[in-house]
Amino acid sequence: MNGINKPSNEDHFSVNGNGNDLQIFQGTLIHATNDHPLLILEDHVIGVGQGKIAFVAPSSELSNLIDRHGFQQNEVRQLQKGNFLMPGFVDTHIHAPQYVYAGTGTDLPLLSWLTRYTIPVESKFKDLKFASLAYNDVVETTLKVGTTTACYYATIHKHASLRLAEIAANLGQRAFVGKVNMDTFSPDYYLETTQESIRDTEWFIEQVRELNCPRVNPIITPRFALSCTSPLMTQLGVLADKYDVHIQTHINESLDEIASVKEKFPGYGNYARVYDAHGLMNNKTVLAHCIHMEDDEVSLMKERGTGVAHCPCSNFTIMSGVMNLRERLQQGLKVGLATDVSGGYSSSMLVAMRQAMTASRVHSISLTDGKEHIPVEYHEAFRLATLGGSEVLGLSDKIGNFEVGKEFDALIIDPHAANSPFHVYDTLYTDTIEDIVQKFLYLGDDRNIAEVYVGGERVKPRT
């Protein structure tokens, strides 16, 4: 359940320097914890030093905080009435090049959609000038809508993929960036040889690390099993182990896809076993979709610690199916939310949250076996879009909520923003803080996201 917590004890850690190094905010904070999917902390103070959360405490502790940390009362920034701080969104699966045609091409199922729309567009990213323009747009847009961490697919082009990593670093977004691997199941104009794919991927990993930006990391990215030969997947597994990097790919998105994988890789039993046999399933692997899962696959994912990137908007839009989110959570899998642009038509994680709740309700409506299905509610969707995503990406020790010692990835939400898509009432009818939060999650958009911080640095609006 969501709720209001008013702890009596301050939580803090030491930071070097004096009070002038701190940013201090006073007002309402909301975040998820292991025990509460949406916790509301009214009248609290949060301090940020060197990009990390130095303390979180009730405002009644302010005098003690001033003495301990050496800042002045006038350095405390009071949030405007009704505004609140929340963690930044974590998008666990987004195709950066597909942003250019998001909102179009929604008339075909997965495999036909890839052939008609995706491959022709992605092939254009060999042009570095075009790639730079498009990637700047996608990073700026996702930051604007509150995505402080994104797990990106790029394309097979190594230089363009590196440009995406450079742009994310320059604009201040936390990101995983993957150079896509494809040595089969694609037209000749958008295809690599196995050797090219491995060579370029290793080059890409090393070049991203040479950026010396800890917030931007490479990720091994076989598009999916159909677009990779067995030798390619085996060598990608070796690279992942050699460089200790994350892995991302797709699994069990559509029934036609699954049938094709079983035909291409007979003898493995199921889709997940194909990846596992090639060294691509571990606790740093992110699998997108996971709609049509077999029990053995779920057990294998849980054993390996593999995470689920739930893509509800895309699942609806290109008619792949409806993942049973409640079931995945009850199975004990790590689950985060994803926009999956451009199968998903929106780059906003708010839309992903709403679609996740709708998908869960579809399961409740559709059940005919007499079993009870409790749909996922807004406070659970909030957790999945923040802390849940950080768990899937292996970043829960660094981001995802306002625990002391974590990096300050945060949004300031203004429900009273000019042209806000919703209204807040304080008359005969009065919205509680829970009402305001819920209205933002259901009705809000980037107009309500006044400021965005990544690692304590403000990236919206830019200074």
Side-chain angles (χ1 to χ4, degrees):
M1 294 294 291
N2 59 307
I4 297 175
N5 184 37
K6 297 182 179 179
S8 57
N9 296 321
E10 173 197 349
D11 196 4
H12 68 93
F13 84 114
S14 298
V15 294
N16 295 325
N18 54 41
N20 293 328
D21 298 321
L22 290 171
Q23 300 178 77
I24 307 101
F25 302 89
Q26 184 175 19
T28 298
L29 319 178
I30 72 168
H31 72 155
T33 68
N34 290 332
D35 298 322
H36 299 274
L38 198 162
L39 195 60
I40 299 176
L41 306 174
E42 292 187 285
D43 197 18
H44 268 61
V45 183
I46 184 170
V48 181
Q50 300 173 9
K52 294 185 177 181
I53 299 168
F55 57 79
V56 178
S59 293
S60 59
E61 298 288 329
L62 187 55
S63 294
N64 293 335
L65 292 169
I66 289 173
D67 291 341
R68 176 172 292 161
H69 295 280
F71 60 90
Q72 304 298 316
Q73 176 76 49
N74 61 10
E75 295 178 286
V76 178
R77 177 178 171 185
Q78 182 72 47
L79 297 182
Q80 296 180 18
K81 183 180 179 181
N83 289 13
F84 58 87
L85 266 169
M86 62 166 283
F89 291 123
V90 180
D91 189 343
T92 59
H93 183 77
I94 174 171
H95 293 262
Q98 295 178 22
Y99 174 80
V100 300
Y101 71 98
T104 70
T106 60
D107 57 329
L108 295 172
L110 175 63
L111 298 182
S112 300
W113 178 83
L114 288 170
T115 301
R116 175 78 63 84
Y117 302 113
T118 301
I119 300 305
V121 171
E122 289 192 8
S123 70
K124 299 180 186 301
F125 279 74
K126 64 184 177 183
D127 184 311
L128 195 57
K129 183 177 180 180
F130 172 67
S132 299
L133 171 67
Y135 286 152
N136 192 77
D137 288 343
V138 71
V139 175
E140 284 194 339
T141 298
T142 51
L143 282 171
K144 184 176 72 171
V145 297
T147 299
T148 52
T149 300
C151 193
Y152 288 119
Y153 267 59
T155 63
I156 66 173
H157 312 103
K158 65 179 184 179
H159 292 291
S161 300
L162 179 61
R163 183 58 52 86
L164 173 57
E166 292 169 342
I167 290 170
N170 290 337
L171 294 181
Q173 190 173 53
R174 194 180 305 277
F176 288 94
V177 179
K179 189 211 82 66
V180 172
N181 303 103
M182 298 172 62
D183 67 344
T184 187
F185 199 69
S186 187
D188 289 343
Y189 68 83
Y190 192 58
L191 195 67
E192 313 165 286
T193 67
T194 304
Q195 293 74 23
E196 286 172 339
S197 190
I198 292 301
R199 182 194 66 211
D200 290 354
T201 298
E202 188 159 21
W203 177 90
F204 174 75
I205 292 170
E206 292 173 348
Q207 290 298 308
V208 172
R209 289 189 166 173
E210 286 185 12
L211 295 177
N212 293 318
C213 180
R215 294 176 198 151
V216 177
N217 290 283
I219 182 168
I220 297 288
T221 307
R223 179 170 221 111
F224 63 162
L226 290 179
S227 66
C228 298
T229 61
S230 185
L232 176 57
M233 286 194 288
T234 296
Q235 292 182 65
L236 290 175
V238 171
L239 280 184
D241 185 62
K242 175 180 177 180
Y243 288 95
D244 191 27
V245 292
H246 283 63
I247 300 164
Q248 64 176 345
T249 190
H250 302 82
I251 192 170
N252 292 332
E253 182 175 357
S254 78
L255 296 177
D256 287 344
E257 167 209 15
I258 295 167
S260 296
V261 169
K262 288 185 175 181
E263 181 180 351
K264 180 181 179 182
F265 296 98
Y268 287 90
N270 56 53
Y271 205 153
R273 291 287 173 185
V274 174
Y275 289 137
D276 191 57
H278 293 87
L280 296 172
M281 290 272 287
N282 58 42
N283 62 0
K284 289 188 173 183
T285 300
V286 182
L287 295 182
H289 299 288
C290 301
I291 302 171
H292 312 284
M293 299 291 288
E294 298 179 9
D295 290 344
D296 176 67
E297 293 177 303
V298 172
S299 297
L300 179 61
M301 288 181 66
K302 191 171 181 180
E303 179 182 340
R304 297 287 185 263
T306 298
V308 176
H310 179 32
C311 311
C313 186
S314 173
N315 295 344
F316 279 132
T317 302
I318 58 176
M319 301 171 286
S320 297
V322 184
M323 192 193 86
N324 190 334
L325 177 55
R326 176 63 68 198
E327 183 176 62
R328 297 288 172 267
L329 295 172
Q330 290 174 338
Q331 288 164 338
L333 295 176
K334 298 183 296 187
V335 181
L337 296 185
T339 59
D340 192 23
V341 169
S342 75
Y345 54 78
S346 173
S347 57
S348 172
M349 286 293 290
L350 288 166
V351 173
M353 291 175 61
R354 296 161 193 164
Q355 293 280 311
M357 290 184 281
T358 298
S360 189
R361 280 163 171 73
V362 167
H363 270 286
S364 292
I365 294 168
S366 303
L367 280 179
T368 58
D369 57 7
K371 294 181 180 179
E372 182 182 18
H373 180 274
I374 302 173
V376 168
E377 297 293 343
Y378 75 94
H379 50 284
E380 295 172 285
F382 172 84
R383 186 194 187 282
L384 295 174
T386 54
L387 185 58
S390 74
E391 292 169 345
V392 167
L393 298 181
L395 296 175
S396 58
D397 60 332
K398 295 181 175 65
I399 61 166
N401 61 12
F402 292 144
E403 288 182 1
V404 168
K406 291 189 178 183
E407 295 195 37
F408 186 67
D409 289 9
L411 316 177
I412 294 181
I413 307 303
D414 181 5
H416 302 283
N419 300 314
S420 173
F422 65 93
H423 295 90
V424 176
Y425 292 94
D426 187 14
T427 55
L428 288 177
Y429 176 85
T430 300
D431 284 306
T432 65
I433 182 60
E434 291 96 332
D435 294 332
I436 294 171
V437 169
Q438 190 172 0
K439 282 187 172 183
F440 167 68
L441 297 180
Y442 267 109
L443 303 172
D445 60 25
D446 60 283
R447 288 169 289 184
N448 302 110
I449 301 174
E451 298 179 27
V452 178
Y453 293 81
V454 180
E457 297 179 12
R458 193 177 73 182
V459 296
K460 174 192 175 180
R462 297 196 177 278
T463 54

